[in-house]
Amino acid sequence: MRWLVLLLYCGLACAQGYPSKPVKLVTPFPPGGSADVIARLTAQKLAENFGQPVVVDNRGGAGGLVGTEYAAKQPPDGYTLVLITGAYPVQAAMLKSMPFDPLTDVAMVSLLTSYPFVISVRADSPFRSLGDLIAAAKAHPGKLNYPSSGIGTVHHLSGELLNAMAGIDMTHVPFRGGASPLTEVLGGRVDLLLEAMTLSIGQIQSGKLRALAVTSRERWKALPNVPSVAETVPGYEVNSFIGLGASGGTPREIVERLNAEVRKALASPDTRQRLVDLGGEPGASSPDEMKGFIEREIAKWRELIAERRIEKQ
């Protein structure tokens, strides 16, 4: 009993003095991508509330696995945070084995924002609708290609899901993440982009990209005139998210402190508006709610992979 009281006291004491030094926010993708944009916004707001610097540490590679593994294996003291994206449960479902346990080696803190993907093409593309694209893909199997931030990412599986449900065969071209997929589409080296709205919406609004469809079940309020994929391919739906985690084993009191700071940041009108401008729907969750959400996402993707007989990596 004395040990339990001592542990509780230590946890409370740590939380009261936290943070007493700079905090690192690991972003498991290169600079310039949609995750990086949210990471820097989150770091800025946390730093303002903490009174301590929050430094974004981009550690891209293996579709996000490199950075997340690094964060999972750091000391559980709250000084290493990690951005959790829609790629996280996809990898847990897609990989034959992982170098860490996705449900215990990372402590979930809170969701930050959710959003659909957008299927878009260059402004001078001959495809005026998703129907045009699907017709061309059926006429020329394997000719059309789409980029992703890596094998086994949500971008990859979203494209494979479209292949399966639309009865087409587009070629997947993996990159290391960041803004590379967007750059390749704008440069005309790949045919279409299946990307988070947080990254592509600015290019759509500027007229550099033409949005063909959003992957949410219904039309998304940030692009109300763009149809959903489901209007052409009934039943298709993919939604992504970004949340915040910490190294597994971080004291509950520190996790709760972080959760409170996230809620404070998302309550700020300027932060909420910035997330809305990026095409997302801001919203916090409790640590337990986020963990439950991740569990359900892993189960959903595992079911899809089994149903579609997608080979695990």
Side-chain angles (χ1 to χ4, degrees):
M1 179 62 72
R2 282 197 304 171
W3 281 107
L4 181 61
V5 173
L6 182 60
L7 286 172
L8 179 60
Y9 172 79
C10 290
L12 290 171
C14 288
Q16 289 172 356
Y18 173 85
S20 59
K21 61 181 181 180
V23 176
K24 181 185 295 184
L25 173 52
V26 176
T27 304
F29 298 99
S34 56
D36 185 59
V37 173
I38 302 297
R40 295 184 185 280
L41 176 62
T42 302
Q44 176 187 346
K45 298 306 294 186
L46 289 178
E48 291 173 3
N49 295 338
F50 281 157
Q52 291 283 352
V54 178
V55 181
V56 174
D57 182 6
N58 293 94
R59 291 179 178 263
L65 193 64
V66 171
T68 308
E69 180 185 2
Y70 167 82
K73 295 182 177 180
Q74 296 308 296
D77 54 11
Y79 288 96
T80 302
L81 309 179
V82 60
L83 210 70
I84 306 293
T85 73
Y88 189 88
V90 169
Q91 285 193 321
M94 183 74 178
L95 297 179
K96 294 177 181 177
S97 64
M98 292 186 71
F100 61 91
D101 189 309
L103 295 175
T104 61
D105 291 341
V106 174
M108 303 302 162
V109 173
S110 175
L111 294 172
L112 298 169
T113 186
S114 60
Y115 48 85
F117 281 19
V118 185
I119 298 176
S120 56
V121 294
R122 235 170 60 148
D124 59 356
S125 169
F127 306 129
R128 309 296 300 184
S129 68
L130 182 60
D132 291 343
L133 188 149
I134 290 174
K138 286 183 175 180
H140 305 283
K143 183 178 179 180
L144 296 185
N145 51 43
Y146 71 97
S148 81
S149 55
I151 295 173
T153 60
V154 67
H155 306 76
H156 173 204
L157 289 193
S158 296
E160 290 304 309
L161 180 61
L162 183 60
N163 274 339
M165 295 187 69
I168 57 178
D169 180 21
M170 299 185 299
T171 299
H172 172 231
V173 183
F175 291 90
R176 284 179 55 85
S180 296
L182 173 61
T183 301
E184 294 300 303
V185 171
L186 292 175
R189 291 176 288 276
V190 292
D191 297 298
L192 65 139
L193 183 68
L194 215 164
E195 181 55 86
M197 191 172 289
T198 48
L199 183 62
S200 56
I201 191 169
Q203 304 296 329
I204 293 167
Q205 292 171 338
S206 70
K208 294 180 180 179
L209 289 177
R210 177 188 302 129
L212 301 184
V214 294
T215 63
S216 48
R217 185 187 301 270
E218 299 176 348
R219 298 191 181 200
W220 196 251
K221 59 185 177 182
L223 293 172
N225 296 322
V226 177
S228 67
V229 176
E231 292 178 44
T232 303
V233 184
Y236 186 98
E237 180 183 10
V238 173
N239 288 298
S240 195
F241 68 93
I242 290 181
L244 189 67
S247 302
T250 298
R252 182 72 181 194
E253 293 78 12
I254 291 180
V255 172
E256 292 291 354
R257 168 73 194 282
L258 287 165
N259 184 270
E261 295 300 343
V262 167
R263 291 179 183 276
K264 186 186 300 183
L266 292 181
S268 168
D270 62 322
T271 302
R272 292 188 64 83
Q273 188 58 52
R274 177 62 176 145
L275 291 172
V276 169
D277 291 343
L278 289 168
E281 183 66 33
S285 68
S286 72
D288 290 340
E289 286 170 341
M290 183 176 177
K291 184 177 181 181
F293 171 74
I294 295 294
E295 289 176 327
R296 292 190 297 274
E297 285 290 293
I298 292 173
K300 177 187 76 175
W301 287 114
R302 280 177 176 162
E303 182 178 352
L304 170 67
I305 290 165
E307 286 181 355
R308 302 298 177 185
R309 297 181 181 179
I310 298 172
E311 184 177 357
K312 289 194 172 187
Q313 301 297 314

